[in-house]
Amino acid sequence: MTTRTKRPLTLRDVSEASGVSEMTVSRVLRNKGDVSEATRIKVQDAAKRLGYVPNKIAGALASQRVNLVAVIIPSLGNMVFPEVLSGISETLDGTDLQPVVGVTNYMPEKEEKVLFEMLSWRPSGVIIAGLEHTEASRAMLTQADIPVVEIMDVDGEAIDANVGISHRRAGRIIAEEILKAGYKRIGFLGTKMPLDHRARKRFEGFTQTLAKSGIEIADQEFYSGGSALAKGREMTQAMLERTPEIDFLYYSNDMIGAGGLLYLLEKGVDIPNQIGLAGFNGVELLDGLPRQLATMDACRRDIGQKAAEIIARRNADPSEPEGERIELSPTVSLGDTLRRS
């Protein structure tokens, strides 16, 4: 862990980088006044490259900070991130800090826009999902001069603090369980691919482990949209019609895995002997299914709690070192859909 001394970027920095006067820079960034398109682009490019974000509370508060923590996540449309938010909220309850949430829909350019707006209000910290960001987003986070915690994933280089699990390791672990159980013809089904970097990393760890045992993925089905029971049924049906000899289906998340399970049960498939299944996330939805889907707990609430603890601790004591890295260990639940070896 390290401690860095940072100076907040100013209009002068943008002025010097763009070769334009501070007054013109101010007009461009406030979208006020008559400025040529060429000058506007020059200023915007310089600000983006530097990671400069205007301060919307300048002069309004002596501290130049508000007691808000920006929490930026990909989605509220599934059961994963609400648990993370619960962990964050519970931990910040005992402090003066309050979380505010922005949603990116897994789109890097949307994340950039949400981050820009949130940072312009000078929050006391940022908790942001994932390690993959645009260059502009990375520049803004690096220059923010506040605690930044990237969450959910530790497979990569963090900007500051980092809390999560190794998704490549998670993929390896479930592959080892599937191989131990004797399955040979394995299919992978994923949603939000390839935008969901964490699912992609699980897929990489999964396929690499299978390859070491001389097994290649028999079939794969990717869908760029979101997760739903109906989509899981649809994807499962499509794969089995295409590759009927499949004997195991690994889903990128529990929601589509649950849809696949319900489809196979309706078709009278012998689970797990004829076909085995596994999902990922360990969501509560699985408790209501007729069979317990094999899955892996992603430590979501713990991740939220530990990320919030870092933000709260560093706000209470600015001398706390940066760069803390916390890797949590997910646990496998074999359920009723994966043969016991």
Side-chain angles (χ1 to χ4, degrees), residues 102 108 112 150 161 184 206 208 210 219 224 261 281-282 290 300 320 326 332 334 337:
E112 197 175 298
E150 290 164 288
K184 303 289 185 185
F206 183 71
Q208 288 166 5
L210 295 182
D219 199 355
S224 61
L261 172 61
N281 277 323
R300 296 179 303 282
E320 281 274 323
I326 300 175
V332 176
L334 299 181
T337 65

Side-chain angles (χ1 to χ4, degrees), residues 170-179 206 250 278 296 332 338:
R172 290 196 297 268
I173 291 171
I174 198 67
E176 289 165 358
E177 292 292 344
I178 292 167
L179 291 170
F206 183 71
Y250 178 42
M296 182 176 285
V332 176
L338 202 160

Side-chain angles (χ1 to χ4, degrees), residues 189-329:
L189 304 91
T191 55
K192 284 295 181 186
M193 305 286 279
L195 294 175
D196 186 343
H197 296 287
R198 292 171 292 285
R200 173 181 56 78
K201 290 173 185 178
R202 288 197 300 279
F203 180 66
E204 290 170 358
F206 183 71
T207 53
Q208 288 166 5
T209 302
L210 295 182
K212 288 178 182 177
S213 295
I215 293 178
E216 293 185 8
I217 289 286
D219 199 355
Q220 57 192 43
E221 179 91 3
F222 294 154
Y223 172 63
S224 61
S227 305
L229 289 173
K231 179 52 63 175
R233 298 168 71 100
E234 177 186 317
M235 295 171 74
T236 302
Q237 180 179 359
M239 180 171 287
L240 292 179
E241 287 177 354
R242 191 169 57 235
T243 315
E245 64 272 23
I246 289 281
D247 67 4
F248 198 91
L249 297 170
Y250 178 42
Y251 298 86
S252 66
N253 61 72
D254 290 336
M255 186 65 77
I256 56 171
L261 172 61
L262 293 173
Y263 171 79
L264 293 173
L265 289 175
E266 283 181 8
K267 295 297 180 182
V269 174
D270 181 4
I271 302 170
N273 297 314
Q274 185 180 345
I275 298 180
L277 302 91
F280 181 82
N281 277 323
V283 299
E284 290 183 5
L285 164 82
L286 303 183
D287 295 337
L289 295 175
R291 302 277 183 89
Q292 195 71 34
L293 181 69
T295 189
M296 182 176 285
D297 171 28
C299 310
R300 296 179 303 282
R301 188 177 295 268
D302 287 346
I303 287 172
Q305 289 172 341
K306 292 186 181 302
E309 286 169 4
I310 291 172
I311 297 289
R313 192 166 62 244
R314 283 173 54 183
N315 269 272
D317 182 1
S319 67
E320 281 274 323
E322 299 180 4
E324 184 173 356
R325 182 181 186 274
I326 300 175
E327 179 176 347
L328 302 174
S329 298

Side-chain angles (χ1 to χ4, degrees), residues 65-111:
R65 289 278 176 264
V66 294
N67 289 337
L68 299 176
V69 177
V71 181
I72 302 174
I73 57 175
S75 173
L76 282 172
N78 59 41
M79 299 183 178
V80 174
F81 290 100
E83 282 196 52
V84 177
L85 295 177
S86 293
I88 293 171
S89 180
E90 289 166 4
T91 303
L92 294 182
D93 271 350
T95 73
D96 293 331
L97 302 171
Q98 293 291 330
V100 289
V101 179
V103 179
T104 69
N105 298 319
Y106 290 93
M107 302 298 293
E109 62 273 17
K110 178 75 179 294
E111 178 183 270

